[in-house]
Amino acid sequence: MIAALLLAVVLRAFVFQAFKIPSGSMLPTLQVGDQIVVSKFCYGIKLPFVMKTLVPIGKPARSDIVVFASPKDPDKDYVKRVIGLPGDVIEIRNKRLYLNGAVFSDPNGFHIDPLMIPGAIQPRDNFGPVKVPSGMVFVMGDNRDYSIDSRFWGCIEVEALMGKAVGIFFSWDTDRHAVRWSRIGHIFR
């Protein structure tokens, strides 16, 4: 019994952890009520609680879905997609995303709000250009019109990433109060 409990604690601390999606910022990729599995070792073995990397293993790649503590409220975990890597220049003009000066055609990002907000009012639709500093990533939600992300609070330290989402292990439709069977077992590429 104690060995099983110890194994579970070690696995959660260093290998995998489950997270529940509470908002629509990653629609349509992640639905409210999806529960995802996150690989905690893909970017390195970290010392629990202090998030200090003991053994580096890999680096975040563009389009990785990552989990990290909110820069504004460390008690909340966020799930977003990596858009910019260290050295990249990110700019958004009239909802169009530019990566290093060229239009970045991101198949995961979408807009549903026809309203165009000037950058002087808020950075949702017009932002930058900003160069991603060394050791950091620029993240955005797939639901670009309804995501609070790096456009609002800046880049995230790679060290702060808890891990990479690998798949959906359960999905509950809160509106219909039913399991979304078709989403269970979906693996992210």
Side-chain angles (χ1 to χ4, degrees), residues 85-90 100 127-134 136 138 155:
L85 300 171
D88 285 343
V89 176
I90 305 292
N100 300 321
F127 171 85
V130 169
K131 185 174 183 177
V132 180
S134 176
M136 302 189 95
F138 189 93
C155 295

Side-chain angles (χ1 to χ4, degrees), residues 78-160:
Y78 279 3
V79 178
K80 303 292 179 193
R81 187 176 300 277
V82 173
I83 300 298
L85 300 171
D88 285 343
V89 176
I90 305 292
E91 184 174 10
I92 300 166
R93 286 184 249 145
N94 298 326
K95 297 190 182 196
R96 186 168 238 163
L97 177 61
Y98 291 82
L99 178 65
N100 300 321
V103 173
F104 179 62
S105 107
D106 179 5
N108 301 299
F110 80 103
H111 299 275
I112 56 174
D113 183 0
L115 180 65
M116 191 73 65
I117 301 173
I121 294 175
Q122 72 161 249
R124 183 188 85 169
D125 302 330
N126 290 281
F127 171 85
V130 169
K131 185 174 183 177
V132 180
S134 176
M136 302 189 95
V137 291
F138 189 93
V139 297
M140 295 176 75
D142 289 352
N143 186 354
R144 300 287 157 79
D145 292 330
Y146 297 99
S147 175
I148 303 298
D149 48 41
S150 286
R151 295 172 290 180
F152 294 86
W153 29 252
C155 295
I156 300 296
E157 291 185 30
V158 170
E159 191 79 20

